[in-house]
């Protein structure tokens, strides 16, 4: 249906009953004949006007909707007359919870903490990642001293690594350290070196990628190199080793030094050079060679092959020069070892 048929008078709708418990709300409403035949999520948006269609789609996908006792999970199916029950979980707490999650601590004092973040751990809670993050772990480890530093939602966080990027991260434990570290990052007075394993190798073997980076106009979930707009992004790179035929390498180990730190910067920049990170599910368009695919499978790599290997900065409180370096974790190490045999 479209046009005027999409707008229904309020008096044909049942506002629905509401049952509340510690497990959340259970919304119950009878779907009238006037809504039958519409897409399920669209019809339910009229039944439950306080919920957006996107929220309804997510809840249906989680199996939280039933009609006359039958669970529905397909948002695109046609709605039919019946009694619909929708279970809405309680809202996530406004403040992250402290969780006992192991941390690999490289350095810690009263002002800051440096950790080697594993792949698979998000820096802070967000959509789709309500807990199990570095923030949750830090709140447990640091206790009340971290609460509220730099903001309630992301206490202590001054920079981020992608969830599936491993490596060195620093977090602030005091407001003074947070302000000082934030200034260092904003003025680019931080030494940040990443190691990437790429499909093919960027050419030339050493150079600087200097572009504007922003949201992709064709996919708002992705970042892209833009002709105009966005923010300036600068990556200095060097091919440390190439694997396969010298004139046409199948893969490479590339060191990337960040001058700026934009979202997905290295992943987008390497992809723009035709050498995306191996295993990158977002920017790794195109298949690697069969031998490289076999190496990825043998290594158990299930993420982008990118590791934050070095983080160096001047301690914002003591003035001490600090530098931390970690080797790539087992999946990347195993993959590189196999690639060296090509």
């Amino acid at each position: 249906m479209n046009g005027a048929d999409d707008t229904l008078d309020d008096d044909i709708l049942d506002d629905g009953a509401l049952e509340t418990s510690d497990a959340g709300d259970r919304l119950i409403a009878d779907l009238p004949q006037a809504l039958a035949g519409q897409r399920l999520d669209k019809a339910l948006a009229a039944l439950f006007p306080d919920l957006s269609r996107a929220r309804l789609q997510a809840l249906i996908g989680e199996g939280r909707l039933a009609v006359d006792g039958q669970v529905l999970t397909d948002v695109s199916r046609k709605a039919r007359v019946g009694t619909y029950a929708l279970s809405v979980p309680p809202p996530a707490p406004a403040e992250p919870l402290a969780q006992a999650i192991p941390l690999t601590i490289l350095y810690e004092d009263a002002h800051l903490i440096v950790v080697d973040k594993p792949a698979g751990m998000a820096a802070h809670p967000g959509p789709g990642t309500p807990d199990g993050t570095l923030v949750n772990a830090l709140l447990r480890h640091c206790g009340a001293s971290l609460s509220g530093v730099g903001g309630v939602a992301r206490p202590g966080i001054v920079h981020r690594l992608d969830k599936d990027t491993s490596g060195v991260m620093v977090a602030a434990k005091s407001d003074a350290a947070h302000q000082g570290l934030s200034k260092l990052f904003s003025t680019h007075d931080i030494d940040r070196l990443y190691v990437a394993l790429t499909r093919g190798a960027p050419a030339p073997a050493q150079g600087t990628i200097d572009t504007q980076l922003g949201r992709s106009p064709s996919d708002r979930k992705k970042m892209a190199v833009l002709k105009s707009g966005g923010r300036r992004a600068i990556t200095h790179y060097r091919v440390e080793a190439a694997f396969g035929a010298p004139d046409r390498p199948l893969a490479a180990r590339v060191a990337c030094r960040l001058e700026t730190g934009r979202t997905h910067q290295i992943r987008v920049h390497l992809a723009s050079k035709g050498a995306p990170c191996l295993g990158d599910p977002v920017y790794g368009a195109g298949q690697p060679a069969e031998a490289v695919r076999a190496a990825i499978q043998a290594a158990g790599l299930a993420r982008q092959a990118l590791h934050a290997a070095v983080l160096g900065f001047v301690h914002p409180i003591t003035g001490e020069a600090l530098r931390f370096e970690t080797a790539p974790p087992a999946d990347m190490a195993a993959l590189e070892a196999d690639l060296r045999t090509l």
Side-chain angles (χ1 to χ4, degrees):
M1 299 176 69
N2 51 48
D5 292 335
D6 284 346
T7 304
L8 298 168
D9 294 333
D10 291 339
D11 59 1
I12 69 169
L13 299 179
D14 179 352
D15 288 335
L18 171 64
E19 300 174 1
T20 302
S21 71
D22 291 339
D25 296 333
R26 189 164 183 263
L27 306 177
I28 303 174
D30 291 325
L31 190 137
Q33 184 63 47
L35 293 177
Q38 294 190 14
R39 262 181 63 113
L40 182 60
D41 57 337
K42 183 177 181 180
L44 291 180
L47 272 189
F48 306 120
D50 290 338
L51 298 175
S52 68
R53 283 181 70 176
R55 178 66 169 143
L56 286 165
Q57 289 168 359
L59 292 172
I60 295 169
E62 294 170 3
R64 297 182 179 274
L65 177 71
V67 56
D68 298 329
Q70 177 189 357
V71 175
L72 304 178
T73 57
D74 182 3
V75 299
S76 63
R77 70 179 297 167
K78 301 299 183 182
R80 61 180 174 83
V81 172
T83 299
Y84 287 75
L86 181 67
S87 297
V88 182
E95 299 183 19
L97 299 174
Q99 293 179 298
I101 302 171
L103 289 171
T104 300
I105 299 173
L106 307 177
Y107 176 91
E108 183 178 12
D109 63 15
H111 304 286
L112 54 84
I113 181 171
V114 180
V115 302
D116 187 5
K117 186 190 82 67
M121 174 185 278
H124 56 76
T129 312
D131 54 20
T133 71
L134 179 60
V135 159
N136 298 109
L138 290 175
L139 285 170
R140 175 62 178 265
H141 177 80
C142 301
S145 65
L146 188 70
S147 182
V149 173
V152 174
R154 293 178 285 184
I157 299 299
V158 292
H159 71 125
R160 292 179 291 182
L161 296 178
D162 294 341
K163 180 178 179 179
D164 288 329
T165 296
S166 55
V168 188
M169 277 190 66
V170 61
K173 294 173 61 178
S174 67
D175 285 321
H178 193 279
Q179 293 173 11
L181 287 169
S182 296
K183 183 177 180 180
L184 290 175
F185 277 96
S186 66
T187 57
H188 313 309
D189 291 325
I190 298 279
D191 183 17
R192 286 177 287 176
L193 181 70
Y194 290 66
V195 173
L197 299 177
T198 64
R199 189 191 76 208
Q206 183 170 334
T208 296
I209 307 172
D210 186 346
T211 70
Q212 298 297 118
L213 212 62
R215 292 287 173 188
S216 168
S218 59
D219 185 345
R220 301 298 293 172
K221 294 181 180 180
K222 296 174 62 174
M223 306 300 288
V225 171
L226 303 177
K227 293 182 179 179
S228 62
R231 303 175 70 186
R232 190 181 185 190
I234 304 172
T235 303
H236 307 285
Y237 73 90
R238 179 170 61 88
V239 176
E240 295 185 324
F243 312 118
D247 58 335
R248 192 174 183 181
L250 301 179
R253 175 186 167 114
V254 183
C256 298
R257 193 173 299 278
L258 288 182
E259 187 169 324
T260 59
R262 311 304 182 202
T263 300
H264 299 177
Q265 177 174 320
I266 291 175
R267 296 165 64 189
V268 175
H269 271 173
L270 289 176
S272 74
K273 297 287 288 184
C277 293
L278 291 174
D280 193 329
V282 178
Y283 303 105
Q287 285 282 354
E290 183 177 350
V292 177
R293 295 201 303 272
I296 291 173
Q297 184 174 5
L301 183 81
R303 53 145 182 145
Q304 64 265 9
L306 183 62
H307 175 71
V310 174
L311 183 66
F313 57 93
V314 174
H315 195 298
I317 306 301
T318 68
E320 179 184 3
L322 300 175
R323 186 179 187 276
F324 306 95
E325 183 171 0
T326 63
D331 56 354
M332 283 185 61
L335 175 57
E336 182 176 347
D338 282 351
L339 292 176
R340 289 184 179 277
T341 66
L342 297 179

